[in-house]
C-alpha cells in the first residue's frame, strides 16, 4: 500500500473478533487498528495487549467505537442479535463494514443491511471465509478450469463440539437464530451455493424458485414463535424444477441441483473430518475434507467413475498462506486464520483503497448478498422444521410489509 492512507479500523467483539484484530494489526501497512470492544472490558484489554497494541481504545460500549471520528472500517463480531443495529449505525456514519455470520436474526434485517450498504456505497463483507480454505479455493479452481462440469448434487457436513464455556449464547434464540444452523449450517450453505454458482451459473440472493426441507432437533421456547434448533439439523435444498422430467443434457437441466447438509454440535456425532463436502459434477466427483484442529491434514480428491481409484489435488492453493497449528495466539484453528488474512489483505483492503472496484457478485468475496442468501435458507429451514414439509424459499418472508 506504500504511502497510501491506512484503513482506520475498529473491532466489536473480542472472541472471534480477537482473531480479526490480530490479523488487522499484522497487516499494518494497510490497516490501523484504533479500538476494540467487549462487554467485559478485561477481555478487550487482554486482546489489545496480546497483539502488542495496549494503547488502542478499549471499551465496553460499542457506540464509542462507531461514533469515533474518521473510522473507515467497522468489524462486527458480536452475538448475532446485535449485528443489525451495529451494522446500520456504522453504515450511517459512512463506515465500510465487515459483519460476521449469520448476518442478522431475520431476512428482513439482512435485506435492510444490504440495502443500506448499497445506498451509502460502502464496502460490505461477511464471514464466509471457508471459501478461502485451501480445499475449497482449490475446488473452485477445478470448477473454473472446467474439470468438474455442471454440478448436479452436493453433499456436506460440519460437525463440531458443543459451544465452549462462555459461548452458550449460541443456543439462546434471543441472541442467535437457528442454533447450529445459524452457527455452522450457513457456512456450508454458502459454500455449496457459491460453488454451484461458479459451475452452473449465478444463484440469486433471494433463491427464487428454490425449496428447502429441514429436520432439526427443535426445543420449543415458551410462548415464542421461533423454535430453538438445539444441536443437530439436516437440511436439503433443491433448485427450481429439480426432479422434473427432461433431457439431462438440455441446457436448462444444468441449472437443476440438489444440496444436502448435516450439521451438528452434539458430542455423540464425532467426526475425524469435521468439515466435508462432496460435489457431484458432470465430469468428476470431488471430495473435500478438513479438520480445523489439524490444518495440514485437509485433502481434496476426485474420482472419474464409481469404484475408480481416487486422485488427489496436490499441492492445494493457499490464498492466505500456510496454516499454523492452532495456538493460544491463533485460536479457532490455524486453518481459518489465513482465510482472514486473505479477506483483509486481498479483498477488503484493495476495495476500500479504491484499487479494486467494489460490486456484488465479485466472485470470491463474501458480501452482504451472500449473507442474505444464507439467511433465506436459514429462515426457510426453520419454517420447514416446524411444518415438516418442503418450503418455498421466501414464502414466509414479506419484505414489502415488514
Ligand atoms: N466466520 C467464522 O468462521 C466465525 C467463527 C467464530 C465466530 N463467528 C461469529 O462471530 C460472532 C461472535 O462469535 P464468538 O464466537 O466470537 O462469540 P464470543 O466469544 O462470545 O464473543 C462475542 C464478543 O461480543 C461481545 N459482546 C457481546 N454482547 C455485546 C454487546 N452488547 N456490546 C458489545 N460487545 C458485546 C462479547 O463481550 P465479552 O467478551 O464481554 O463476552 C465478546 O467479546 C458470531 O456472530 C459468530 O457467528 C464467526
Amino acid at each position: 500500500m506504500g504511502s497510501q492512507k491506512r484503513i482506520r479500523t475498529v473491532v466489536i467483539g473480542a472472541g472471534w473478533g480477537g482473531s480479526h484484530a490480530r490479523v488487522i494489526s499484522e497487516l499494518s501497512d494497510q490497516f490501523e487498528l484504533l479500538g476494540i470492544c467487549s462487554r467485559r472490558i478485561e477481555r478487550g484489554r487482554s486482546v489489545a495487549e496480546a497483539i502488542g497494541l495496549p494503547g488502542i481504545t478499549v471499551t465496553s460500549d460499542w457506540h464509542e467505537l462507531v461514533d469515533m471520528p474518521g473510522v473507515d472500517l467497522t468489524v462486527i463480531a458480536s452475538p448475532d442479535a446485535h449485528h443489525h443495529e451495529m451494522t446500520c449505525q456504522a453504515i450511517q456514519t459512512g463506515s465500510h463494514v465487515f459483519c460476521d455470520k449469520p448476518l442478522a436474526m431475520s431476512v428482513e434485517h439482512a435485506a435492510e443491511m444490504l440495502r443500506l450498504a448499497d445506498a451509502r456505497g460502502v464496502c460490505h463483507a461477511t464471514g464466509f471465509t471457508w471459501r478461502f480454505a485451501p480445499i475449497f479455493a482449490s475446488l473452485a479452481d477445478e470448477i473454473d478450469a472446467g474439470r468438474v462440469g455442471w454440478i448436479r448434487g452436493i453433499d456436506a457436513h460440519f460437525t463440531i463440539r458443543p459451544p465452549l464455556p462462555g459461548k452458550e449464547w449460541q443456543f439462546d434464540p434471543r441472541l442467535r437464530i437457528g442454533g447450529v444452523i445459524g452457527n455452522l449450517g450457513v457456512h456450508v450453505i454458502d459454500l455449496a451455493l457459491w460453488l454451484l454458482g461458479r459451475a452452473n451459473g449465478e444463484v440469486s440472493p433471494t433463491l427464487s424458485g428454490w425449496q428447502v426441507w429441514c429436520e432439526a432437533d427443535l426445543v420449543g421456547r415458551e410462548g415464542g414463535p421461533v423454535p430453538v434448533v438445539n444441536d443437530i439439523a439436516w437440511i436439503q435444498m433443491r433448485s427450481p424444477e429439480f426432479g422434473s422430467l427432461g433431457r439431462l443434457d438440455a441446457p436448462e437441466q444444468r441449472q437443476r441441483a440438489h444440496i444436502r447438509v448435516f450439521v451438528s454440535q452434539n458430542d455423540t456425532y464425532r467426526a475425524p473430518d469435521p468439515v466435508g463436502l462432496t460435489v457431484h459434477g458432470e465430469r468428476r466427483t470431488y471430495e473435500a475434507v478438513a479438520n480445523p484442529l489439524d490444518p495440514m491434514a485437509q485433502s481434496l480428491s476426485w474420482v472419474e467413475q464409481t469404484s475408480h481409484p481416487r486422485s488427489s489435488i496436490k499441492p492445494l492453493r493457499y490464498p492466505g498462506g500456510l496454516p499454523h497449528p492452532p495456538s493460544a495466539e491463533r485460536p479457532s484453528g490455524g486453518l481459518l486464520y489465513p482465510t482472514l488474512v486473505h479477506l483483509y489483505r486481498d479483498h477488503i483492503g484493495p476495495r476500500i483503497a479504491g484499487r479494486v472496484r467494489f460490486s456484488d457478485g465479485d466472485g470470491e468475496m463474501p458480501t452482504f448478498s451472500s449473507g442474505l442468501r444464507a439467511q433465506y435458507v436459514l429462515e426457510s429451514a426453520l419454517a420447514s422444521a416446524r411444518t415438516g414439509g418442503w418450503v418455498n424459499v421466501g414464502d414466509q418472508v414479506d419484505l414489502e410489509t415488514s
Side-chain angles (χ1 to χ4, degrees), residues 22-34:
R22 178 176 288 278
V23 167
I24 288 161
S25 71
E26 286 173 359
L27 297 172
S28 59
D29 58 334
Q30 283 174 287
F31 296 89
E32 180 185 1
L33 185 65
L34 303 181

Side-chain angles (χ1 to χ4, degrees), residues 296-371:
M296 298 315 286
Q298 59 190 313
S299 74
L300 176 63
S301 57
W302 53 271
V303 290
E304 221 153 45
Q305 290 296 333
T306 297
S307 300
H308 277 200
R310 269 168 214 262
S311 307
S312 288
I313 304 292
K314 279 183 185 154
L316 296 169
R317 181 162 70 88
Y318 292 86
L322 282 175
H324 303 265
S327 64
E329 289 76 40
R330 293 180 174 87
S332 204
L335 189 84
L336 286 185
Y337 191 81
T339 70
L340 288 184
V341 173
H342 182 57
L343 177 74
Y344 284 101
R345 186 189 61 199
D346 304 321
H347 285 290
I348 294 180
R351 277 173 178 77
I352 294 179
R355 284 188 281 117
V356 174
R357 211 186 116 260
F358 176 73
S359 67
D360 275 338
D362 271 35
E364 208 193 37
M365 162 125 157
T367 64
F368 284 7
S369 281
S370 331

Side-chain angles (χ1 to χ4, degrees), residues 148-347:
V148 182
W150 52 274
I151 293 173
R152 193 57 191 269
I154 295 181
D155 215 341
H157 68 260
F158 197 157
T159 65
I160 58 172
R161 286 180 309 186
L164 294 169
K167 296 198 187 229
E168 296 84 355
W169 66 264
Q170 290 181 6
F171 289 136
D172 180 345
R174 290 162 303 181
L175 294 173
R176 155 153 286 161
I177 177 171
V180 72
I181 308 177
N183 194 26
L184 306 180
V186 291
H187 273 304
V188 186
I189 286 156
D190 175 71
L191 274 171
L193 292 172
W194 175 65
L195 293 167
L196 200 68
R198 284 179 105 91
N200 299 15
E202 195 68 25
V203 181
S204 90
T206 56
L207 289 164
S208 160
W210 280 72
Q211 291 187 310
V212 173
W213 174 93
C214 173
E215 189 172 309
D217 190 8
L218 294 179
V219 180
R221 183 154 63 95
E222 201 61 33
V226 183
V228 184
V229 179
N230 193 14
D231 55 5
I232 290 175
W234 287 263
I235 307 153
Q236 295 197 54
M237 301 177 63
R238 59 189 183 200
S239 62
E241 295 184 60
F242 179 88
S244 62
L245 288 176
R247 285 172 55 86
L248 262 183
D249 55 358
E252 69 276 9
Q253 286 284 333
R254 297 172 181 221
Q255 299 298 323
R256 297 177 187 182
H258 194 263
I259 296 169
R260 284 196 316 191
V261 173
F262 172 66
V263 281
S264 158
Q265 278 188 262
N266 183 301
D267 241 344
T268 53
Y269 284 77
R270 297 176 197 101
D273 297 309
V275 179
L277 187 138
T278 305
V279 162
H280 301 283
E282 178 191 8
R283 305 204 168 90
R284 294 172 174 177
T285 285
Y286 282 74
E287 188 178 25
V289 290
N291 180 348
L293 297 182
D294 188 4
M296 298 315 286
Q298 59 190 313
S299 74
L300 176 63
S301 57
W302 53 271
V303 290
E304 221 153 45
Q305 290 296 333
T306 297
S307 300
H308 277 200
R310 269 168 214 262
S311 307
S312 288
I313 304 292
K314 279 183 185 154
L316 296 169
R317 181 162 70 88
Y318 292 86
L322 282 175
H324 303 265
S327 64
E329 289 76 40
R330 293 180 174 87
S332 204
L335 189 84
L336 286 185
Y337 191 81
T339 70
L340 288 184
V341 173
H342 182 57
L343 177 74
Y344 284 101
R345 186 189 61 199
D346 304 321
H347 285 290

Side-chain angles (χ1 to χ4, degrees), residues 113-162:
M113 289 156 76
L114 173 61
R115 257 198 319 269
L116 215 58
D118 279 344
R120 193 70 201 233
V122 299
C123 170
H124 47 91
T126 191
F128 295 139
T129 60
W130 271 96
R131 293 181 183 190
F132 312 143
I135 41 171
F136 298 122
S138 303
L139 180 50
D141 290 346
E142 292 295 295
I143 292 171
D144 294 351
R147 286 190 277 274
V148 182
W150 52 274
I151 293 173
R152 193 57 191 269
I154 295 181
D155 215 341
H157 68 260
F158 197 157
T159 65
I160 58 172
R161 286 180 309 186

Side-chain angles (χ1 to χ4, degrees), residues 12-18 20 37-41 43-44 59-62 76-80 82-83 86 98 100-102 126-130 166-167 169-170 175-176 182-183 187 332 336 340:
I12 304 174
W16 181 232
H20 283 260
C37 169
S38 59
R39 264 175 329 172
R40 286 163 294 166
I41 199 151
R43 203 167 168 205
T59 176
S60 58
D61 178 5
W62 60 272
I76 298 167
S78 54
D80 315 347
H82 304 297
H83 291 179
M86 290 172 176
F98 167 94
D100 224 310
K101 46 50 61 173
T126 191
F128 295 139
T129 60
W130 271 96
K167 296 198 187 229
W169 66 264
Q170 290 181 6
L175 294 173
R176 155 153 286 161
N183 194 26
H187 273 304
S332 204
L336 286 185
L340 288 184

